Amino acid sequence: MTAPTVVSLAPSATETLRALDATDSLAGVTHHCDADAPPVGGWLNPDYDVVDDCDPDVVLTADPLQREVRDRLRERGHRVAHVEPRTLGEVVESFVDVARAVGRERAGHDLAWRARSRIDRVRRLTRDRDRPTVYCEEWSDPPTAAGNWVPDAVRAAGGRYPFVPSGERSREVDRETVEDAAPDHVVLHVCGHGERSDPTAVTGRDWAVPAVERDAVHVLDDSLLNQPSPRLLDGVETLAARLHPDAVGRQS
């Protein structure tokens, strides 16, 4: 069977294809995707004419912010596979949805099984440990506590996350909210900054929190926590290693 031609308009979908060993089917990606394929624009503003020229069998989109892109593509006659995972479990399930869309459903189930195994391993390693309070900031102006699957990732990594319920969108937080929670660790993973988030965005604030006092402000590549792809599993393991280095071991 000939592999379908795919245009991926979501970095998370592109990374999922990489984990499925399916990037050879890519005919186009966004400027935000890390893949050797022709660019077709941004993830919220693709060049629809260029997408048409790729003549894909399927276009991959993700996130509620891409609903309008999805709808416009369908109006132009494209088959679109769209996912909107909100929790860690839904992220893992989305691997199967993406794999099914590109004709690799069995590989998707295998990928999801491996992802659950990795999460379960981290949970076992951190199960009997004290659970530190963690504040994850995905945007710094204004300070924004990460939501969606990040609360699940923190809990899987052996931490407490009182800032946003699992599955709810990220939300702005004020100084009092963070101070009242007294986080033992702060994790900076600012959208679009990669590993270049500036820790002084937190340490330079007049916030009296234990994490700053004990120099426990961690900068992570934003894709490790912000991207609902197999990269999130790397993020869970990395986060667990920062919270419980003696139990999990250090990760990059």
Side-chain angles (χ1 to χ4, degrees), residues 54-75:
C54 291
D55 193 25
D57 296 303
V58 62
V59 182
L60 304 177
T61 58
D63 193 274
L65 293 175
Q66 281 198 306
R67 288 176 184 171
E68 183 176 341
V69 172
R70 173 201 62 191
D71 293 344
R72 288 194 62 182
L73 287 164
R74 288 175 175 167
E75 290 169 0

Side-chain angles (χ1 to χ4, degrees), residues 4-8 55-60 78-81 98 101-103:
T5 302
V6 181
V7 167
S8 175
D55 193 25
D57 296 303
V58 62
V59 182
L60 304 177
H78 293 287
R79 175 183 167 231
V80 182
V98 172
V102 300

Side-chain angles (χ1 to χ4, degrees), residues 1-9 13-29 35-38 40 54-60 79 98-104:
M1 180 182 296
T2 303
T5 302
V6 181
V7 167
S8 175
L9 298 183
T14 302
E15 286 302 314
T16 302
L17 291 181
R18 189 187 313 284
L20 293 167
D21 195 24
T23 55
D24 56 343
S25 63
L26 284 168
V29 294
D36 185 16
V40 297
C54 291
D55 193 25
D57 296 303
V58 62
V59 182
L60 304 177
R79 175 183 167 231
V98 172
R100 183 182 299 117
V102 300
R104 304 205 182 194

Side-chain angles (χ1 to χ4, degrees), residues 30 33 43 54 61 130 135 164 175 177 201 222 228 249:
T30 74
C33 296
W43 79 293
C54 291
T61 58
D130 291 336
Y135 166 62
V164 183
R175 168 182 170 175
T177 297
D222 69 292

Side-chain angles (χ1 to χ4, degrees), residues 125-146:
L125 290 172
T126 61
R127 180 184 302 152
D128 298 325
R129 301 278 166 166
D130 291 336
R131 302 180 72 85
T133 298
V134 183
Y135 166 62
C136 293
E137 183 168 293
E138 73 167 36
W139 195 252
S140 296
D141 187 19
T144 302

Side-chain angles (χ1 to χ4, degrees), residues 174-193:
D174 56 26
R175 168 182 170 175
E176 290 75 18
T177 297
V178 179
E179 287 187 342
D180 287 348
D184 303 290
H185 295 266
V186 169
V187 180
L188 271 178
H189 50 106
V190 178
C191 290
H193 285 216

Side-chain angles (χ1 to χ4, degrees), residues 52-241:
D52 291 345
D53 291 341
C54 291
D55 193 25
D57 296 303
V58 62
V59 182
L60 304 177
T61 58
D63 193 274
L65 293 175
Q66 281 198 306
R67 288 176 184 171
E68 183 176 341
V69 172
R70 173 201 62 191
D71 293 344
R72 288 194 62 182
L73 287 164
R74 288 175 175 167
E75 290 169 0
R76 296 172 76 101
H78 293 287
R79 175 183 167 231
V80 182
H82 180 82
V83 296
E84 292 186 9
R86 297 169 300 172
T87 65
L88 180 58
E90 290 176 3
V91 170
V92 173
E93 287 299 322
S94 75
F95 301 162
V96 180
D97 296 331
V98 172
R100 183 182 299 117
V102 300
R104 304 205 182 194
E105 183 172 357
R106 181 171 181 176
H109 283 292
D110 289 344
L111 178 60
W113 182 86
R114 294 195 302 273
R116 294 187 192 99
S117 296
R118 291 172 66 181
I119 294 168
D120 288 344
R121 173 183 175 273
V122 171
R123 284 175 172 152
R124 287 195 304 271
L125 290 172
T126 61
R127 180 184 302 152
D128 298 325
R129 301 278 166 166
D130 291 336
R131 302 180 72 85
T133 298
V134 183
Y135 166 62
C136 293
E137 183 168 293
E138 73 167 36
W139 195 252
S140 296
D141 187 19
T144 302
N148 299 306
W149 45 82
V150 170
D152 296 329
V154 171
R155 293 178 188 117
R160 295 179 58 255
Y161 194 77
F163 299 98
V164 183
S166 169
E168 293 192 9
R169 302 293 286 185
S170 304
R171 62 179 61 165
E172 184 177 345
V173 291
D174 56 26
R175 168 182 170 175
E176 290 75 18
T177 297
V178 179
E179 287 187 342
D180 287 348
D184 303 290
H185 295 266
V186 169
V187 180
L188 271 178
H189 50 106
V190 178
C191 290
H193 285 216
E195 298 177 333
R196 302 182 304 278
S197 298
D198 184 358
T200 62
V202 171
T203 59
R205 296 175 190 152
D206 188 21
W207 283 7
V209 296
V212 174
E213 296 166 1
R214 57 191 288 265
D215 194 25
V217 177
H218 314 282
V219 173
L220 296 189
D221 188 313
D222 69 292
S223 69
L224 292 175
L225 291 179
N226 298 346
Q227 189 181 98
S229 78
R231 291 283 286 163
L232 184 57
L233 284 305
D234 298 333
V236 170
E237 292 169 346
T238 300
L239 187 56

